[in-house]
Amino acid sequence: MRRIIITCFTLGLLLWACNSTDTKYSSLISINNLPSQKFIINSSRDTTLVTAKGAILTISKGTLVADAETVELEIKEAYNMEDIFRAGLTTQTNGQPLSSGGMIYINAVNQNIVTFKKKISIAIPGEKLDAKMKLYKGEQLNNKKINWTNPEDLPENPQLKELEKGKQLFISNCASCHAIGRDLTAPNLAHMVKRSKMIAKKEGHNYLYEFTRNWNKVYSKSKYYREITCWSPSVMNLFEPFSDKELDNLYGYIENESELNNLPIPVNYLDECIDSCRKYERIKDSLQGIRTQLEKDSVPMVIEKRESFVILPTTSPVISAPALVEPLTFKSLYYQFTIESFGWYNIDILLKEETHCIPSNLTVSMKGQYSERANLYLIIPSLKALLPGGLLTNQKTTYGFYEKDGSIPLPSETKAYIIAIGEYEDKIVFSEQQFITSRKQSIEIELAFIEKEVFNKKMNSLSFDGLSLLVAGTKKADSLRKVVKDLKEVEMLKPKGCDCNCGKQSLPSTATNNINDEQAILNTK
């Protein structure tokens, strides 16, 4: 009997160890790093609170009952990867890894007793909406970490209904030519709203609504959208009856799908073609202008022999762009739920249920002095996942983040980070490494002492969620300015694979004089 009890106890410990992690605690990352927001409300009135990070709390009168008529509430928020990491808010439920859609904490302060009579409605902002997300309640552990428990389905979300309408519009009207994530007979639509904003900054106006309804009306106004019509072998249909609301649903669906699938902003050759063609045309026109003026003046020129020269286009006057009309800027996406007790709440989905996560194996070997005092974390910004590391079976320096053999569901080809952090006396031990996920990986990191000032600087420069929306400049820019010698040679600068004559009939004509093979290099001094 005793042997059976010991065996059962041992098995229980082993099963717990598979999903448990180290219990070391460091004050360097803690919930105290999140700012507290304080609100005083009158419990006898209907109240709507809007937090610093955009959450909306609706508290109807009589919801909270306290000794006094007023109640002071404290709220903390963690919606991005930086906040989640700084607060040490690991994303696990009983050892299973989670992907977070945002976390919020609400509690009554300076009150003896506050009880709930009704539910508080909460909406927290998100970059995307996933119908599979659930609401988890935070449970404080002895090691000052939070375990997310008791998952509940989220209530019906009206925004998801609107996105579904957008999906149906996409399937009925766009899917035969367009895809979200790759080119078909028409260009890839991933992040089309973000891209339209980038183009609007260049062109001074956002033509997305106009182009969707009737591309003909935009053809002569926008170089970018004109290039799109040249790129596609099929003519885009007209959608003039579509209302702004319908287009918002369509655009919203495309953006949400782009975020859910963790798609990059496409490196669209059109952007480079447009920039390259514009530079080519400006240089060509400048040279032609000089030639025309010289021929008009009929003044003999002394030709100075030179290896090369550069003619820079005349600087255009700066024109103030009007305020841009940008789709979807007037509304955010929100996860919506109700609560009837104070504490931490988290919108989550199990990684194994994430559409893009596949069975993988990830191990980390942590070397260096005082490694036993450091906490190890896996950070996956696209999933807002912060997972603590634990020693693998029979290992002293090799860690995993889920099962004891290093198994863990992960998205493939996704940017992630390994960070180790700890304290020894008045010193900080630290290591960080960025990597791209794959099916099987072994990573080695080495801890080193780091000055507190340097550590603080690193923490302040964290940018896990940063996504550059800048269009990269053409790689040919430098060569464009170096190889120009005459109008014949400038043709060599015409970007290959780009139709620089696209839509020229709708634009002011450029000089098209033929170039004599014997033309001398112009002296521009």
Side-chain angles (χ1 to χ4, degrees), residues 287-339:
L287 285 169
Q288 186 59 49
I290 293 173
R291 175 186 172 180
T292 301
Q293 186 62 46
L294 290 172
E295 290 177 347
K296 181 180 179 181
D297 293 343
S298 300
V299 176
M301 289 189 62
V302 176
I303 305 300
E304 178 181 329
K305 193 171 184 179
R306 316 168 55 173
E307 292 301 319
S308 64
F309 68 90
V310 177
I311 295 180
L312 296 177
T314 304
T315 303
S316 301
V318 177
I319 302 174
S320 299
L324 303 182
V325 177
E326 300 177 343
L328 303 181
T329 55
F330 58 89
K331 71 174 184 179
S332 299
L333 296 175
Y334 288 92
Y335 284 111
Q336 303 177 37
F337 54 95
T338 60
I339 65 170

Side-chain angles (χ1 to χ4, degrees), residues 12 35 46 66 81 87 101 105 199 218 232 241 261 275 279 316 321 332-333 344 373 395 404 415 435-436 468:
D46 293 333
M81 197 67 247
Y105 169 81
I199 299 305
V218 180
S232 179
N261 290 283
D275 288 344
K279 289 185 173 77
S316 301
S332 299
L333 296 175
W344 275 101
R373 294 179 175 272
Q395 296 293 322
K404 282 290 186 176
K415 184 166 67 175
F435 68 102
I436 301 298
S468 173

Side-chain angles (χ1 to χ4, degrees), residues 187-397:
N188 176 7
L189 290 185
H191 296 291
M192 65 179 298
V193 173
K194 289 187 178 72
R195 290 154 66 190
S196 73
K197 292 177 183 178
M198 293 188 292
I199 299 305
K201 288 181 180 178
K202 288 186 174 185
E203 300 190 333
H205 186 75
N206 198 326
Y207 293 104
L208 183 57
Y209 285 100
E210 289 181 68
F211 183 79
T212 305
R213 289 190 174 108
N214 188 338
W215 62 270
N216 281 299
K217 294 181 179 180
V218 180
Y219 191 79
S220 63
K221 301 177 184 178
S222 167
K223 178 72 172 175
Y224 178 80
Y225 288 105
R226 186 162 56 252
E227 284 282 354
I228 289 178
T229 60
C230 291
W231 184 93
S232 179
S234 58
V235 178
M236 183 173 170
N237 293 331
L238 305 182
F239 301 104
E240 291 183 303
F242 280 16
S243 66
D244 284 359
K245 177 66 174 175
E246 288 174 311
L247 291 182
D248 284 338
N249 289 338
L250 174 64
Y251 302 150
Y253 165 71
I254 293 170
E255 285 300 306
N256 198 53
E257 285 297 297
S258 302
E259 293 288 351
L260 285 176
N261 290 283
N262 194 29
L263 298 176
I265 294 179
V267 181
N268 197 321
Y269 93 98
L270 291 178
D271 299 331
E272 183 165 336
C273 274
I274 292 169
D275 288 344
S276 299
C277 284
R278 282 174 175 170
K279 289 185 173 77
Y280 154 73
E281 290 165 354
R282 285 200 302 264
I283 294 174
K284 178 180 176 181
D285 288 353
S286 294
L287 285 169
Q288 186 59 49
I290 293 173
R291 175 186 172 180
T292 301
Q293 186 62 46
L294 290 172
E295 290 177 347
K296 181 180 179 181
D297 293 343
S298 300
V299 176
M301 289 189 62
V302 176
I303 305 300
E304 178 181 329
K305 193 171 184 179
R306 316 168 55 173
E307 292 301 319
S308 64
F309 68 90
V310 177
I311 295 180
L312 296 177
T314 304
T315 303
S316 301
V318 177
I319 302 174
S320 299
L324 303 182
V325 177
E326 300 177 343
L328 303 181
T329 55
F330 58 89
K331 71 174 184 179
S332 299
L333 296 175
Y334 288 92
Y335 284 111
Q336 303 177 37
F337 54 95
T338 60
I339 65 170
E340 50 187 345
S341 63
F342 294 123
W344 275 101
Y345 291 88
N346 191 2
I347 305 296
D348 284 284
I349 183 174
L350 290 166
L351 284 195
K352 64 182 181 181
E353 295 179 1
E354 256 281 353
T355 306
H356 307 289
C357 287
I358 57 176
S360 306
N361 189 279
L362 173 64
T363 62
V364 176
S365 177
M366 186 159 57
K367 300 184 181 301
Q369 199 173 18
Y370 308 117
S371 60
E372 73 281 357
R373 294 179 175 272
N375 289 284
L376 185 69
Y377 297 97
L378 167 65
I379 298 172
I380 311 173
S382 64
L383 299 180
K384 293 190 177 69
L386 175 65
L387 305 174
L391 284 170
L392 300 183
T393 304
N394 300 323
Q395 296 293 322
K396 294 183 178 180
T397 60

Side-chain angles (χ1 to χ4, degrees), residues 160-208:
L160 283 172
K161 286 187 174 181
E162 298 302 307
L163 293 178
E164 180 61 30
K165 292 178 183 178
K167 177 180 179 179
Q168 296 309 316
L169 283 174
F170 177 82
I171 292 172
S172 302
N173 300 279
C174 313
S176 60
C177 298
H178 291 280
I180 304 172
R182 69 185 191 281
D183 291 328
L184 289 181
T185 56
N188 176 7
L189 290 185
H191 296 291
M192 65 179 298
V193 173
K194 289 187 178 72
R195 290 154 66 190
S196 73
K197 292 177 183 178
M198 293 188 292
I199 299 305
K201 288 181 180 178
K202 288 186 174 185
E203 300 190 333
H205 186 75
N206 198 326
Y207 293 104
L208 183 57

Side-chain angles (χ1 to χ4, degrees), residues 40-55:
I40 297 177
I41 68 167
N42 189 321
S43 58
S44 64
R45 300 175 184 173
D46 293 333
T47 304
T48 299
L49 303 179
V50 180
T51 66
K53 291 183 177 288

